[in-house]
């Protein structure tokens, strides 16, 4: 089986990773990939890592998307606000995976508050299934449309889902998360320019990050969530990776081995979650679809550490994982990527 696929927004880092993964996927055939300013250019001229691997050229987004009936799946790797303009026009037979934040939040007022715009397609939003594969696998299998989670949300939710589902938490939860510069996108800005970033460390969007309501919405869906969430994001002087330290307090005393057993049971069918001794390292997950999770405990205090590649498990890799499920494929196909050492 070959799935005919289109990628809307292929010039950024998310689009680049989708291309890298789908070009070697045994069941994928990329029909076209769009990019406004790079339209007409060879994909391998923009993404030099793909030189010799594809003859695709970027095209302008088609104006008659309602006629794209021969496609099986569309990926949106566009800036926030653009997928909601295109997705409602697609034929009903096409499955959709959106990597932006357009369809993650079910409350239009919350969306407007955190994304700074009114939602233009709330009628379609109800058809989108939240795409955190490890907590929503069965719904994703039946979905036509999937809203891929944000990168910080993925790292946080994978660290909290087993505890929330088992109703183990009390008090507030503090998430101290750090990300590499690729999370800011392919276009450089003052705070992502290499001379500024390479020897720097700072917090940004303190307690106002757009992934906060997404995290709380999903935690409420999967378990008993009534805790206060303190969520802080920081800029790391690296290009790839997210590392989250999640500080919790449990209802009874818990050891690291107890926590590991709870997580091992919860993720027993999840190939891409790996449990490690003590702390994970973003180097171990870089360019892979794995989430590594470690623990530290003292009494009722439990710290969960998670590490992912923000562009793979935090974006394109999880999107392909969801596509696999949507089409009845093994979710690991095309994603058993091996990291490097060092």
């Amino acid at each position: 089986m070959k799935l005919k696929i289109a990628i809307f927004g292929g010039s950024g880092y998310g689009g680049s990773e989708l291309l890298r993964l789908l070009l070697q996927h045994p069941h994928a055939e990329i029909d076209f990939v769009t990019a406004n300013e790079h339209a007409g250019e060879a994909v391998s001229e923009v993404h030099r890592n793909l030189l010799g691997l594809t003859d695709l050229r970027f095209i302008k987004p088609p104006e008659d998307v309602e006629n794209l009936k021969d496609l099986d799946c569309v990926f949106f790797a566009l800036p926030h606000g653009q997928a909601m303009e295109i997705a409602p026009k697609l034929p009903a037979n096409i499955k959709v995976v959106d990597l932006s934040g357009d369809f993650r939040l079910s409350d239009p007022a919350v969306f407007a508050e955190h994304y700074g715009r009114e939602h233009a397609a709330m009628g379609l939003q109800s058809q989108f299934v939240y795409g955190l594969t490890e907590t929503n696998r069965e719904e994703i299998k039946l979905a036509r449309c999937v809203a891929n989670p944000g990168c910080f949300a993925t790292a946080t939710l994978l660290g909290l889902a087993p505890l929330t589902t088992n109703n183990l938490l009390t008090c507030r939860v503090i998430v101290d998360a750090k990300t590499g510069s690729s999370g800011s996108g392919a276009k450089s800005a003052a705070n992502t320019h290499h001379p500024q970033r390479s020897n720097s460390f700072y917090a940004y969007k303190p307690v106002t990050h757009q992934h906060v309501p997404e995290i709380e919405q999903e935690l409420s869906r999967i378990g008993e969530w009534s805790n206060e969430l303190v969520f802080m994001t920081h800029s790391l002087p690296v290009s790839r990776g997210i590392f989250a330290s999640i500080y919790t307090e449990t209802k009874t005393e818990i050891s690291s081995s107890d926590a590991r057993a709870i997580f091992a049971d919860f993720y027993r069918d999840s190939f891409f979650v790996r449990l490690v001794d003590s702390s994970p390292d973003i180097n171990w997950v870089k360019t892979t679809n794995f989430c590594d999770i470690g623990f530290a405990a003292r009494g009722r205090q439990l710290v969960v550490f998670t590490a992912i590649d923000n562009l793979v498990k935090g974006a394109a890799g999880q999107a392909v994982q969801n596509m696999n499920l949507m089409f009845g494929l093994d979710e690991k196909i095309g994603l058993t990527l091996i990291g490097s050492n060092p």
Side-chain angles (χ1 to χ4, degrees), residues 189-236:
N191 63 329
T192 61
H193 189 46
H194 181 72
Q196 170 66 27
R197 185 91 178 224
S198 63
N199 294 299
S200 181
F201 186 80
Y202 53 89
Y204 71 100
K205 294 184 180 178
V207 303
T208 62
H209 199 281
Q210 69 269 18
H211 291 178
V212 171
E214 175 186 343
I215 293 166
E216 293 180 323
Q217 176 181 277
E218 181 63 4
L219 288 173
S220 296
R221 187 192 70 81
I222 64 177
E224 295 293 327
W225 176 256
S226 58
N227 305 70
E228 178 186 359
L229 177 65
V230 179
F231 189 77
M232 194 68 65
T233 52
H234 302 80
S235 166
L236 274 177

Side-chain angles (χ1 to χ4, degrees), residues 123-135:
L124 182 62
Q125 199 281 335
S126 61
Q127 297 182 33
F128 274 79
V129 168
Y130 189 70
L132 188 68
T133 319
E134 284 72 20
T135 63

Side-chain angles (χ1 to χ4, degrees), residues 16-342:
S16 173
E17 288 294 273
L18 281 173
L19 285 160
R20 179 174 74 92
L21 298 174
L22 292 171
L23 283 171
Q24 54 88 47
H25 192 293
H27 298 292
E29 179 182 313
I30 302 174
D31 193 65
F32 66 82
V33 54
T34 76
N36 282 313
E37 64 182 275
H38 294 289
E41 296 180 45
V43 164
S44 58
E45 282 294 310
V46 177
H47 303 306
R48 298 301 181 98
N49 59 312
L50 303 179
L51 185 63
L53 300 176
T54 179
D55 295 323
L56 282 167
R57 305 185 80 87
F58 290 112
I59 66 168
K60 289 277 189 184
E63 296 181 1
D64 57 343
V65 295
E66 61 275 5
N67 294 324
L68 299 175
K69 295 182 174 64
D70 292 335
L71 294 174
D72 294 299
C73 186
V74 164
F75 289 90
F76 289 112
L78 296 164
H80 302 309
Q82 294 187 21
M84 71 174 76
E85 302 291 339
I86 304 171
K89 302 174 185 176
L90 290 170
N93 64 294
I94 297 177
K95 296 189 178 184
V96 177
V97 182
D98 179 26
L99 278 70
S100 80
D102 283 11
F103 294 100
R104 295 172 187 158
L105 300 176
S106 58
D107 188 325
V110 174
F111 176 88
E113 177 186 352
H114 286 84
Y115 286 92
R117 57 170 59 84
E118 297 298 318
H119 203 288
M122 283 306 296
L124 182 62
Q125 199 281 335
S126 61
Q127 297 182 33
F128 274 79
V129 168
Y130 189 70
L132 188 68
T133 319
E134 284 72 20
T135 63
N136 219 10
R137 186 175 281 109
E138 296 308 312
E139 287 192 44
I140 293 166
K141 288 179 180 178
L142 303 175
R144 180 199 158 223
C145 301
V146 166
N148 220 53
C151 51
F152 277 122
T154 296
T156 302
L157 288 165
L158 290 175
L160 283 174
L163 303 175
T164 303
T165 301
N166 287 286
N167 195 22
L168 297 176
L169 297 179
T170 184
C171 199
R172 67 168 57 92
V173 171
I174 299 172
V175 179
D176 179 7
K178 303 167 179 67
T179 187
S181 57
S182 57
S184 300
K187 289 189 175 181
S188 64
N191 63 329
T192 61
H193 189 46
H194 181 72
Q196 170 66 27
R197 185 91 178 224
S198 63
N199 294 299
S200 181
F201 186 80
Y202 53 89
Y204 71 100
K205 294 184 180 178
V207 303
T208 62
H209 199 281
Q210 69 269 18
H211 291 178
V212 171
E214 175 186 343
I215 293 166
E216 293 180 323
Q217 176 181 277
E218 181 63 4
L219 288 173
S220 296
R221 187 192 70 81
I222 64 177
E224 295 293 327
W225 176 256
S226 58
N227 305 70
E228 178 186 359
L229 177 65
V230 179
F231 189 77
M232 194 68 65
T233 52
H234 302 80
S235 166
L236 274 177
V238 299
S239 61
R240 301 176 77 119
I242 284 178
F243 189 98
S245 299
I246 304 169
Y247 302 93
T248 71
E249 187 174 288
T250 55
K251 293 179 178 178
T252 58
E253 289 194 6
I254 190 170
S255 67
S256 294
S257 59
D258 293 333
R260 186 187 181 101
I262 292 165
F263 276 66
D265 179 64
F266 188 86
Y267 291 123
R268 61 188 177 276
D269 298 319
S270 297
F271 175 79
F272 293 113
V273 174
R274 305 187 298 193
L275 306 183
V276 304
D277 294 327
S278 189
S279 173
D281 189 315
I282 56 175
N283 276 328
W284 304 341
V285 296
K286 191 168 56 179
T287 73
T288 80
N289 198 52
F290 289 109
C291 173
D292 284 1
I293 302 179
F295 313 94
R298 184 178 67 179
R300 290 167 53 205
Q301 297 175 11
L302 174 67
V303 185
V304 182
F305 307 108
T306 65
I308 63 170
D309 185 309
N310 55 297
L311 296 177
V312 189
K313 185 57 177 170
Q318 187 155 226
V320 173
Q321 188 179 356
N322 287 327
M323 179 203 75
N324 286 338
L325 288 174
M326 295 164 78
F327 286 95
L329 301 171
D330 186 321
E331 67 187 72
K332 301 190 297 293
I333 290 179
L335 292 170
T336 51
L337 310 165
I338 300 173
S340 60
N341 183 27

